[in-house]
Amino acid sequence: MNWVVSVLVFALVASTSAVSAQPVRWTTYSIAQTGTSVDFPASIFTEEAGRPDGYGQRFRTADGRADLTIQAAPNVANDSPAAFLAKKHPPARIQYKRTTPRFFAVSSYKADKVWYNRCNFSSGLIHCVLINYPASEEREWDDVVTRISLSLRGK
């Protein structure tokens, strides 16, 4: 009987930790019109999920539990990162917030998801990545989110 329980527990853990179950295949996603580029985990976000405002693409995992938006748009008001973020009225209970003259990064929880947004500002454009993933898998997503975030570039 213990063997059956062990197999069931292993199957449950394996299914909820799919982000770390296999080596991640990375590629570069680029937006030609804006010079935006980012390291993209193509083996995780396998489905296209529409287009955001401006330029870019939305992606999601095959099972729909996580999504990623890579986006660039004109900085029409020439906002600083702090001013742009303030205009978006982020929720009061942000868990992580870093704002510099060149970018902002914010993260928190909404229901059973973690959301993470980073936007870099350059040459009249705002280059962003927005990621939503299960809060129950937060540790498994840490390395993926960090690599995506730190690789975001814009010209």
Side-chain angles (χ1 to χ4, degrees), residues 17-70:
S17 301
V19 75
S20 62
Q22 297 181 11
V24 177
R25 182 176 48 83
W26 292 90
T27 188
T28 300
Y29 180 85
S30 298
I31 303 172
Q33 299 92 327
T34 62
T36 307
S37 68
V38 67
D39 287 354
F40 174 72
S43 59
I44 296 173
F45 294 103
T46 58
E47 310 289 323
E48 290 189 1
R51 298 223 177 254
D53 292 337
Y55 302 96
Q57 184 67 49
R58 286 189 180 100
F59 299 92
R60 68 172 176 257
T61 57
D63 60 7
R65 77 184 190 291
D67 60 78
L68 165 67
T69 301
I70 303 167

Side-chain angles (χ1 to χ4, degrees), residues 79-91 97 99 104 106 121:
D79 287 329
S80 68
F84 181 84
L85 184 58
K87 284 181 179 179
K88 294 296 181 181
H89 306 290
K97 179 179 177 183
T99 306
F104 70 79
V106 290
F121 289 64

Side-chain angles (χ1 to χ4, degrees), residues 65-66 112-114 116 131-135 137-138 141-142 145:
R65 77 184 190 291
D112 63 344
K113 300 276 189 185
V114 173
Y116 176 88
I131 310 165
N132 299 285
Y133 54 94
E137 299 176 18
E138 188 169 11
W141 282 90
D142 282 348
V145 172

